[in-house]
Amino acid sequence: MLNSDELRLFLAVMREGNMLAAARRVGVDHSTVARRLTNMEATLGARLFDRSPRGVTPTPAAFALVSHAERIESELLAAMSSVAGRDREVEGTVRLATPEAFASHLIAPRVAELRERHPRLTLELASESKAASLSRREAEIAVMLKPPPKGRFVTRKLADYRLGLYASKAYLAREGAPTGRGDLSRHVFVSYIEELAGFAEMIALDQLLPGAAIVFRASSSAAQHAAVAAGMGLGVLHVFAAAEDERLVQLFPESMPESMPESMPESMEVWRSYWLVMHADLQRLPRVRAAADFLEEVTREMRERL
């Protein structure tokens, strides 16, 4: 019969893609991983990995086993947390994967409050453009721009937010402010590197101005913000972040003065949504629940700025 240690090693190999990295992850030597995998295969009567000088490749049997192994792992974690929670505070580490702007402007400035509430809880904030894989345990919680299409996930909408067209005061002084939608064609723009964007929803410029002349691209929303503020060109930025920057001016916002001439374009704002996503097997863990509650509280209090 398989035991929990063997399943832990198996999952480490599946997540890391090779035995050496898996050995480092669980704190054993490479030979121990190889030996226990061989024992597992003998117990199951099936080959789990094809070995080669380049590493290991999971077989169909491995993919069939992985969901069962993850369920057992989650139940063991839940059992440990349930028992430990009777005598101790919420504690442990929770990794949260979020888009960069959400992490920098909404969560990081408030994280001290979470620390005060749960001193033994450590939050790891992984802010990046690509979507983290919850199924591979790259994070316990993720904030995404759309719900995952499939999988055993718990998904809740956190909040809607706005993206707007911005320019720096220095850029407008140099190039002149656009007087209408047609006039935007003479301006240059800052945007994302499309193939590095984790969600198509991140690239709002294509929706507002298809075919815009782009002179600078970055995978980082903070880098785009900095480039627009420095006068590189116009850019679609998060309103909750750009509104705090005195160097920036929003062009054609949703609420425009009635004195605007009829030639002006309609609002150049785009609405997007943040979604809270957790693996169903982890949602009962006290540390995960505490972090999720904190995220919902922060976004609820910040909705007017979004």
Side-chain angles (χ1 to χ4, degrees), residues 93-158:
T93 298
V94 173
R95 179 172 295 174
L96 166 64
T98 82
E100 184 180 24
F102 184 94
S104 300
H105 294 273
L106 301 184
I107 301 305
R110 301 279 299 271
V111 75
E113 298 173 28
L114 180 64
R115 179 71 174 176
E116 290 178 5
R117 195 175 305 170
H118 302 294
R120 296 174 183 241
L121 178 64
T122 299
L123 184 66
E124 293 184 346
L125 198 54
S127 57
E128 50 192 23
S129 59
K130 75 178 183 70
S133 172
L134 296 179
S135 61
R136 293 200 302 269
R137 301 297 198 268
E138 292 176 352
E140 282 80 22
I141 304 175
V143 173
M144 299 182 176
L145 301 190
K146 61 181 179 181
K150 60 182 179 179
R152 299 184 65 252
F153 301 118
V154 176
T155 303
R156 294 196 289 273
K157 187 176 182 179
L158 285 173

Side-chain angles (χ1 to χ4, degrees), residues 159-173:
D160 296 320
Y161 68 96
R162 292 172 294 148
L163 299 166
L165 185 63
Y166 282 85
S168 72
K169 295 174 183 176
Y171 177 91
L172 296 177

